[in-house]
Amino acid sequence: MKTVLKLAVIAALALTSAGGAFAQEFTKATVKKVDAKAKKVTLIHEELKGLEMPAMTMVFQVGDDALLTKLKEGAKVQFVAERVNGKLTVTQVK
C-alpha cells in the first residue's frame, strides 16, 4: 500500500513539473522603454498564453540586472514573464 502511495506522489510531482515547463514559453515583444534605475521595462508584447493575458503594452519588473543589458529601446526580443512575489517579472530574454 505504501508503494502505491509513493508512486502516486511521484506521478503527481512529475505532472506538476511538466506543467511548469509550459510556463517557460517565450513571447515576442518590442522594447518600448527601459528604466534601469527602477529595474522595469515597458514591452509591446504578443499574447502571454501562460499568464492568460492578451497582447498589449505594459510595464514589467526585471528580475536580474544582467537582463537589463539585453533590453534596448526599439529592440525586438523574446521573453519569459512570471509572477514573482505577486508582480509580473521578466525572468528570461533572448
Side-chain angles (χ1 to χ4, degrees):
M1 187 68 167
K2 288 183 181 181
T3 303
V4 173
L5 181 58
K6 286 181 185 178
L7 289 174
V9 169
I10 290 169
L13 289 173
L15 288 173
T16 302
S17 297
F22 292 110
Q24 300 299 309
E25 185 175 324
F26 280 86
T27 302
K28 292 179 184 177
T30 301
V31 179
K32 184 172 182 182
K33 180 180 175 185
V34 178
D35 184 344
K37 189 174 180 179
K39 293 182 72 171
K40 293 182 179 182
V41 63
T42 304
L43 297 173
I44 304 166
H45 65 80
E46 293 182 353
E47 177 185 7
L48 293 170
K49 295 176 185 169
L51 297 171
E52 298 180 3
M53 185 175 296
M56 66 175 77
T57 301
M58 66 179 293
V59 178
F60 293 87
Q61 295 288 126
V62 179
D64 182 358
D65 288 338
L67 295 177
L68 285 169
T69 63
K70 297 180 180 182
L71 299 166
K72 306 289 183 208
E73 287 184 23
K76 304 282 186 198
V77 297
Q78 293 184 38
F79 73 104
V80 174
E82 300 176 40
R83 291 192 193 281
V84 177
N85 297 323
K87 296 182 180 182
L88 289 175
T89 305
V90 173
T91 57
Q92 296 181 56
V93 175
K94 63 178 182 178

